[in-house]
Amino acid sequence: MRRVYIFDTTLRDGEQAPGASLTPEQKIVIARRLANLGVDTIEPGFPISSPGDFAAVQQISREIRNVEICGFARAVKADIDAAVRATEDAERRRIHMFLSSSSIHIDFQLRKSREQVIAIAREMVAYAKQFVDRIEFSPMDATRTGDEFLYEMIEAVIQEGATIINIPDTVGYALPDEYGAMFSRVMQNVRGSDKVEFSAHCHNDLGMAVANSLAAIRAGVTHVEVTVNGVGERAGNCSLEELAMAIETRKETLGVETGIRPEHIYKTSQAVSRAMSFPIAFNKPIVGRNAFQHEAGIHQDGLLKNRSTYEIMDPEKLGIPRSMIILGKHSGRHAIKHRVGQFGVQLNEAQLEQLYTSFKELADRQKVVYDQQLLELVGQATERVMEPYTLVSTQLVTGTAGHRMASCTVRDNASGHEAVYTGTGEGPIEALVAGIKQALPFEAEFADLELYSLSGGEQANGEATVTIRVQGASFRGSAVHRDIVVAAAQAFMAACNEAARAKGYQERTEQSIRDGAVEITIP
């Protein structure tokens, strides 16, 4: 297998997306994750752009080992000096320099002659070469640059010591066959091309960044520039997780491999999403919420018989929690029976038919039937309470000043005992969660909250998904309600019930009650 080196520019090009700015501390945390993920090169920022960016690049250069650190610069001496200083403590480093090459950029942005642009490229590469051996040069907007001038610029910088030639599709204009053919022509026609490495940098304006990057790899490129979640200018860059898994899944056909460790993909994706406050689209390949979830009855039936019928990757190998079956109006009896069976409940034919009928009525009114709702329906069919705890009611006092105060009534279904708990917090969700936690016989850390509007207008329902951690394990719960705060509280309660079932708290509580114990001790 030929090795393809992954160059991650999440912290530089990715951060240039409007609203995606990161603090130096956030950059360092993400850089550590990228190193664990197995990227070969990290471009941590644009050192000349701000003192914070300079400090982040410098700290990452000092701390992150076994990964090449790249300093980004325009073809300007001050930029190069800043990049050299910021990366001087790196174990391995390169300088990445860019200069416009297309007519539209040269005529309207640089406003210089072609001869002047070539002279600048030569001078700045030669200047940077005094300090760093590995020099990457990018003719910006290369895919809208004529071949003759592109060859001339690349030849010039190779002569001055550039070691890596990056040919970027800066505005996402190229088609895959065009982009791959461009690399082939450059490699065949540029003198000295056999002495340098080639890199691809693709934007996603037409949705072809991954396809173009694969075309470049097939043309012989050995470095590909990517970002986590595909973040970046305008429609973003080539997505790291999509490219890495395309190569991993089809490596026998492509004949290449990377050093990416798939088991770290999901957590890295989530970390970048949270740090940038950029939600991930539900249908985003690899890391999107729906990427490994199925609602259609035919698909669910096939998956339950053999996962590979409708999945070409194993999400658990990517660090993605397994939630293969999503129950909705398209789900069939087989999927419902399977999900109920996962809760340890066996239904007879009459109970299953009653459940199926009530399930379909609920599914027609809303998009997804959540586990908490399913268990309520199971309880109606079996005449027993399925959930360990029930959030009976909530009340909230809120305002523009001071702490929010909440009270909630929680029922322990094993004993039938109901109690009212109060909590305070700077926000209403924090106050309600503080109250609910007091009802639990275990410590639950509130790890993550996702909120979505399911429709428009003032009467829109809100969907909340909460992730908690209990003894190192993660559990998720979801709920829908017109009041988004109540939805978040119900989702938290659902996650806690998942934890109680998984950790055996419910069974131990019931046994303690059967034994007549007054105090219940949970280790």
Side-chain angles (χ1 to χ4, degrees):
M1 291 284 178
R2 177 165 61 92
R3 176 67 182 269
V4 171
Y5 298 94
I6 300 299
F7 176 116
D8 185 273
T9 184
T10 303
L11 304 178
R12 197 278 299 171
D13 203 341
E15 194 201 18
Q16 290 177 196
S21 294
L22 299 168
T23 65
E25 293 75 20
Q26 288 174 317
K27 285 196 171 193
I28 293 166
V29 170
I30 292 173
R32 293 180 189 133
R33 287 192 175 275
L34 293 172
N36 288 334
L37 180 60
V39 303
D40 300 287
T41 304
I42 297 175
E43 191 170 56
F46 193 177
I48 195 68
S49 65
S50 73
D53 238 28
F54 183 95
V57 175
Q58 187 176 61
Q59 183 61 35
I60 290 167
S61 297
R62 290 170 176 171
E63 180 179 328
I64 305 298
R65 295 306 184 205
N66 301 317
V67 177
E68 183 182 48
I69 306 300
C70 181
F72 187 68
R74 295 168 296 183
V76 175
K77 281 188 177 181
D79 284 35
I80 295 168
D81 290 340
V84 168
R85 291 198 311 275
T87 60
E88 63 185 349
D89 295 325
E91 187 175 71
R92 291 183 291 118
R93 65 169 171 168
R94 76 169 79 162
I95 298 300
H96 179 194
M97 186 189 318
F98 72 96
L99 182 62
S100 292
S101 61
S102 69
S103 294
I104 194 166
H105 279 216
I106 291 172
D107 294 341
F108 294 98
Q109 191 170 18
L110 295 183
R111 297 185 178 181
K112 296 183 182 296
S113 68
R114 275 66 180 159
E115 292 76 18
Q116 288 174 310
V117 171
I118 294 294
I120 292 169
R122 282 186 177 277
E123 181 184 0
M124 292 301 100
V125 170
Y127 179 73
K129 192 69 175 179
Q130 300 174 81
F131 311 106
V132 181
D133 289 331
R134 284 170 65 79
I135 305 293
E136 176 180 347
F137 183 84
S138 293
M140 188 162 68
D141 202 20
T143 54
R144 294 193 296 173
T145 301
D147 281 358
E148 185 176 341
F149 186 68
L150 184 63
Y151 298 164
E152 183 182 357
M153 177 177 276
I154 293 173
E155 269 188 18
V157 297
I158 290 174
Q159 289 170 5
E160 298 299 333
T163 57
I164 302 169
I165 302 300
N166 178 52
I167 305 181
D169 185 19
T170 305
V171 293
Y173 179 73
L175 300 175
D177 57 339
E178 296 172 338
Y179 195 58
M182 183 181 66
F183 276 100
S184 297
R185 292 195 304 272
V186 168
M187 293 174 186
Q188 292 167 5
N189 292 290
V190 170
R191 286 172 293 184
S193 63
D194 57 328
K195 299 180 177 62
V196 298
E197 300 171 86
F198 283 90
S199 174
H201 179 112
C202 298
H203 280 262
N204 205 38
D205 297 69
L206 295 177
M208 287 183 281
V210 173
N212 283 341
S213 298
L214 291 171
I217 289 170
R218 286 191 147 173
V221 163
T222 53
H223 298 257
V224 181
E225 306 193 356
V226 298
T227 61
V228 175
N229 299 334
V231 295
E233 296 272 11
R234 304 179 311 280
N237 291 51
C238 176
S239 163
L240 182 154
E241 58 279 359
E242 293 177 31
L243 180 75
M245 291 314 299
I247 292 174
E248 176 66 21
T249 305
R250 302 302 308 276
K251 61 185 175 185
E252 299 300 330
T253 299
L254 293 168
V256 299
E257 62 183 358
T258 72
I260 294 297
R261 303 181 186 102
E263 64 271 19
H264 294 289
I265 283 178
Y266 182 70
K267 287 187 177 180
T268 305
S269 166
Q270 292 290 304
V272 170
S273 173
R274 291 181 188 124
M276 291 184 171
S277 298
F278 269 30
I280 299 170
F282 286 180
N283 65 334
K284 171 81 167 64
I286 314 301
V287 294
R289 173 170 159 177
N290 292 346
F292 296 98
Q293 294 183 345
H294 310 265
E295 185 194 333
I298 295 173
H299 285 226
Q300 291 175 342
D301 182 67
L303 286 160
L304 292 173
K305 292 171 179 173
N306 188 315
R307 183 191 60 79
S308 62
T309 52
Y310 291 101
E311 286 186 353
I312 59 172
M313 294 168 279
D314 184 350
E316 292 175 343
K317 291 183 178 179
L318 307 177
I320 299 174
R322 164 60 75 183
S323 54
M324 182 172 66
I325 301 298
I326 297 299
L327 298 178
K329 70 176 185 179
H330 301 109
S331 299
R333 289 176 178 81
H334 191 188
I336 296 170
K337 184 177 180 180
H338 169 80
R339 186 64 183 136
V340 171
Q342 290 181 316
F343 296 119
V345 178
Q346 298 299 319
L347 301 176
N348 59 39
E349 288 189 16
Q351 290 171 333
L352 179 59
E353 200 57 34
Q354 180 183 340
L355 172 62
Y356 183 72
T357 300
S358 56
F359 171 88
K360 284 294 186 177
E361 290 173 357
L362 178 60
D364 274 336
R365 296 197 302 270
Q366 63 184 55
K367 296 175 184 292
V368 174
V369 176
Y370 299 104
D371 285 346
Q372 181 181 8
Q373 296 171 312
L374 179 64
L375 287 170
E376 289 174 2
L377 298 179
V378 171
Q380 294 169 15
T382 60
E383 297 182 349
R384 56 180 286 206
V385 179
M386 305 302 302
E387 290 283 52
Y389 302 95
T390 298
L391 181 61
V392 178
S393 64
T394 63
Q395 288 187 324
L396 185 68
V397 178
T398 187
T400 58
H403 278 64
R404 281 63 176 160
M405 294 180 291
S407 68
C408 56
T409 302
V410 178
R411 181 170 60 245
D412 181 339
N413 291 318
S415 65
H417 175 69
E418 281 189 15
V420 177
Y421 304 90
T422 61
T424 62
E426 293 185 14
I429 294 173
E430 182 183 3
L432 277 171
V433 167
I436 295 170
K437 283 183 176 181
Q438 297 172 47
L440 304 174
F442 53 87
E443 292 292 327
E445 177 192 351
F446 193 105
D448 188 49
L449 169 65
E450 301 171 41
L451 295 174
Y452 303 99
S453 174
L454 297 182
S455 59
E458 297 174 354
Q459 297 183 342
N461 281 321
E463 178 192 39
T465 298
V466 170
T467 302
I468 66 170
R469 277 192 285 268
V470 177
Q471 296 181 351
S474 294
F475 303 92
R476 285 164 61 94
S478 297
V480 173
H481 200 279
R482 187 72 54 83
D483 186 328
I484 195 65
V485 177
V486 174
Q490 290 178 344
F492 177 73
M493 189 81 266
C496 291
N497 279 327
E498 285 279 344
R501 284 190 295 269
K503 294 293 185 179
Y505 293 126
Q506 182 180 21
E507 291 81 356
R508 285 186 291 229
T509 301
E510 290 172 343
Q511 183 62 47
S512 181
I513 291 167
R514 285 195 295 271
D515 293 343
V518 177
E519 262 185 52
I520 299 170
T521 302
I522 303 297

